[in-house]
């Protein structure tokens, strides 16, 4: 079993290299110098393991990557300037013109944009499938399919994929699987243990955890990471800045405490919604009413803070009044930080509306607030519409 406390507090620190300070310095440097020609020659021959220039390596990022790779049970990781930089670089590394991707439908909106608008310009096609049935992935595989892309659960509607089953289908056909694991954090879902090859994170969410950075991670085998490093990482240049890496390191110190707290509070809040007459559906994978609850229990360790509820009202103005009446929950996109958020799906423009995105659907994120305080806020907002 992996030792999360050791990983978070000690792995990769090398404190003797920085005066035994408990907190690592920010290596705010673009460049590194060498004493002689032979030294720089050796570094260039082994760029992956050298400090030459901070578009490739930086000691603050090295520390961070070791920790995140260990949390995800993979050999190595790379840190990117955003979740989308991580996702796009990883995807690009596996496809050539003429190749085909099988992806879960309703994936994160910008990943979806990449697959529907960007990749076709370079001759890469994607088939989207209802990911609730593993066989749908098998059926969509073609001769030129290279990868299977998962996001379990996807946001807004929170449909799950049976990760182990889909990874097995991919293995059998010699395909690579990638998963966006941002929803769960490495602490509550472990895709590597279920056979997934590449694990992606928007570290702007739980890994950073304080709503103060935009960042992304790619985790995988040494072989895959070395290839991505040499090509997409250095070539597209999407590396995270040293300071943001330092902020993520600081965020990681409290990852377990935050996830535990969020998990407990979320349990209380979803129970409140499950019993509320003005709520017809709670779309949280670990809410017993979720149609894939058993699968969620099998592959997810505990609840995290993002979910939607379908309000039991037909008057959309009332749904809007409900959202506008919330005070502790503030209106915004994103999630994973300290603040509790509400995102009204009715605010989507026509282009973004997908199957199941009804205007009585409201997405919530439970931050570090107290459960009773959040429930009081919901009570007073429900009172406004009854
Ligand atoms: C936010 C998010 C992303 C994109 O990450 P950025 O850090 O905003 O680029 C990708 N996937 C999921 C599931 C997300 O929630």
């Amino acid at each position: 079993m992996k030792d999360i406390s050791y990983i978070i507090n000690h792995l990769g620190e090398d404190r003797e290299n920085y005066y035994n300070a408990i907190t690592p310095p920010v290596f705010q440097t673009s460049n590194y110098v060498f004493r002689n020609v032979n030294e720089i020659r050796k570094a260039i021959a082994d760029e992956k393991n050298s400090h030459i220039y901070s578009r490739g390596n930086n000691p603050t990022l090295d520390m961070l990557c070791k920790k995140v790779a260990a949390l995800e049970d993979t050999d190595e990781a790379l840190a990117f300037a955003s979740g989308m930089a991580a996702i796009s670089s990883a995807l690009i590394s596996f496809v050539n013109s003429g190749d085909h991707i099988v992806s879960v439908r309703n994936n994160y909106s910008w990943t979806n944009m990449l697959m529907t608008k960007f990749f076709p310009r370079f001759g890469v096609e994607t088939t989207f499938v209802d990911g609730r049935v593993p066989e749908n992935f098998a059926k969509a595989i073609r001769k030129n399919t290279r990868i299977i892309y998962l996001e379990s659960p996807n946001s807004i509607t929170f449909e799950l994929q049976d990760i182990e089953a889909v990874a097995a289908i991919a293995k059998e056909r010699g395909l690579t699987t990638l998963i966006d694991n941002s929803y769960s954090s490495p602490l509550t879902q472990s895709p590597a243990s279920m056979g997934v090859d590449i694990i992606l994170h928007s570290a702007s969410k739980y890994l950073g955890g304080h709503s103060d950075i935009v960042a992304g991670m790619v985790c995988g085998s040494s072989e895959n990471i070395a290839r991505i490093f040499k090509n997409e990482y250095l070539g597209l240049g999407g590396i995270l800045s040293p300071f943001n890496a330092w902020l993520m390191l600081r965020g990681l110190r409290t990852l377990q405490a935050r996830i535990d707290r969020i998990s407990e509070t979320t349990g209380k809040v979803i129970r409140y919604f499950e019993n509320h007459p003005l709520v017809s559906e709670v779309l949280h994978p670990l809410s017993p009413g979720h149609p894939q609850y058993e699968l969620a229990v099998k592959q997810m360790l505990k609840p995290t803070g993002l979910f939607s509820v379908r309000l039991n009202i037909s008057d959309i103005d009332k749904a809007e009044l409900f959202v506008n009446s919330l005070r502790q929950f503030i209106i915004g996109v994103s999630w994973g930080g300290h603040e509790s958020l509400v995102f009204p799906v009715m605010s989507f423009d026509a282009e973004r509306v997908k199957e199941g995105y009804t205007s009585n659907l409201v997405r919530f994120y439970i931050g570090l607030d107290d459960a009773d305080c959040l429930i009081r806020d919901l009570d007073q907002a429900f009172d406004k519409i009854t």
Side-chain angles (χ1 to χ4, degrees):
M1 217 187 97
K2 70 187 163 200
D3 185 344
I4 294 163
S5 297
Y6 172 77
I7 295 168
I8 285 177
N9 283 311
H10 301 300
L11 180 72
E13 300 276 343
D14 297 327
R15 293 196 173 97
E16 60 279 14
N17 292 338
Y18 48 90
Y19 301 97
N20 295 312
I22 188 65
T23 302
V26 188
F27 285 89
Q28 192 69 40
T29 185
S30 63
N31 209 2
Y32 306 83
V33 294
F34 300 87
R35 278 172 298 194
N36 55 50
V37 175
N38 200 38
E39 266 190 11
I40 193 169
R41 182 186 291 129
K42 280 207 305 223
I44 289 172
D46 186 17
E47 180 142 15
K48 176 76 171 51
N49 298 307
S50 307
H51 294 101
I52 303 176
Y53 186 58
S54 281
R55 180 156 38 76
N57 277 321
N58 176 286
T60 312
L61 274 77
D62 298 344
M63 233 175 268
L64 173 71
C65 291
K66 277 188 190 145
K67 287 182 195 288
V68 176
L71 288 173
E72 278 297 7
D73 274 319
T74 53
D75 297 340
E76 286 185 65
L78 292 171
F80 288 82
S82 70
M84 282 320 303
I87 292 167
S88 57
S89 298
L91 281 170
I92 288 168
S93 82
F94 287 100
V95 288
N96 291 305
S97 180
D99 287 346
H100 176 247
I101 298 170
V102 179
S103 171
V104 62
R105 68 175 183 183
N106 293 354
N107 49 2
Y108 179 70
S109 54
W110 290 100
T111 311
N112 198 269
M113 186 284 291
L114 264 183
M115 292 172 174
T116 54
K117 305 231 160 67
F118 184 89
F119 284 153
R121 289 168 45 204
F122 303 93
V124 176
E125 242 191 297
T126 303
T127 302
F128 294 95
V129 300
D130 177 344
R132 291 173 294 184
V133 183
E135 269 310 300
N136 289 347
F137 289 93
K139 282 187 208 145
I141 293 170
R142 301 179 191 164
K143 264 212 207 65
N144 58 342
T145 304
R146 293 287 166 267
I147 56 180
I148 292 185
Y149 189 87
L150 305 176
E151 191 182 311
S152 183
N154 53 357
S155 12
I156 313 285
T157 52
F158 305 99
E159 291 169 2
L160 307 181
Q161 299 105 62
D162 185 329
I163 299 172
E164 208 165 6
V166 180
I169 290 168
K171 246 218 178 108
E172 206 186 290
R173 312 286 283 260
L175 308 179
T176 301
T177 37
L178 295 86
I179 191 168
D180 182 334
N181 202 33
S182 311
Y183 176 91
S184 296
S185 94
L187 301 190
T188 61
Q189 180 165 280
S190 186
S193 72
M194 295 182 256
V196 174
D197 301 298
I198 297 283
I199 298 147
L200 305 161
H201 278 282
S202 167
S204 323
K205 314 294 165 49
Y206 290 126
L207 296 179
H210 293 74
S211 303
D212 52 8
I213 58 167
V214 171
M217 301 295 305
V218 174
C219 310
S221 67
S222 293
E223 188 191 344
N224 277 325
I225 294 295
R227 201 191 60 254
I228 296 170
F229 177 85
K230 216 168 92 183
N231 297 291
E232 292 75 24
Y233 201 55
L234 285 171
L236 299 175
I239 195 172
L240 187 64
S241 74
F243 184 56
N244 281 352
W246 186 87
L247 283 172
M248 204 203 301
L249 273 171
R250 189 168 74 156
L252 283 182
R253 307 286 188 204
T254 57
L255 179 65
Q256 191 163 31
R258 286 185 286 109
I259 293 289
D260 286 352
R261 162 88 174 175
I262 288 167
S263 181
E264 200 181 318
T265 313
T266 302
K268 290 179 185 163
V269 176
I270 59 179
R271 243 164 283 138
Y272 167 87
F273 279 123
E274 282 157 7
N275 294 310
H276 202 287
L278 286 177
V279 172
S280 58
E281 200 180 350
V282 179
L283 300 170
H284 190 297
L286 286 162
S287 168
H290 190 283
Q292 294 172 288
Y293 177 69
E294 275 170 30
L295 176 60
V297 170
K298 187 182 131 210
Q299 65 188 24
M300 301 167 82
L301 216 53
K302 52 171 128 178
T304 48
L306 193 69
F307 61 93
S308 295
V309 302
R310 232 181 270 282
L311 298 175
N312 192 11
I313 48 179
S314 47
D315 181 351
I316 289 318
D317 291 343
K318 274 194 173 175
E320 194 161 333
L321 175 63
F322 171 73
V323 173
N324 286 339
S325 302
L326 292 164
R327 289 292 166 261
Q328 194 67 25
F329 285 98
I330 40 191
I331 299 175
V333 298
S334 193
W335 47 275
H338 50 89
E339 76 283 18
S340 297
L341 291 161
V342 56
F343 175 75
V345 173
M346 67 193 95
S347 64
F348 271 145
D349 53 25
E351 202 189 335
R352 283 173 216 254
V353 171
K354 303 213 171 65
E355 203 181 314
Y357 289 24
T358 54
S359 40
N360 61 345
L361 194 61
V362 181
R363 190 180 80 175
F364 286 92
Y365 166 68
I366 306 300
L368 298 176
D369 299 298
D370 192 62
D372 294 336
C373 167
L374 294 175
I375 288 170
R376 270 199 306 279
D377 190 34
L378 293 165
D379 267 338
Q380 65 81 24
F382 276 126
D383 281 349
K384 299 258 166 55
I385 59 164
T386 36

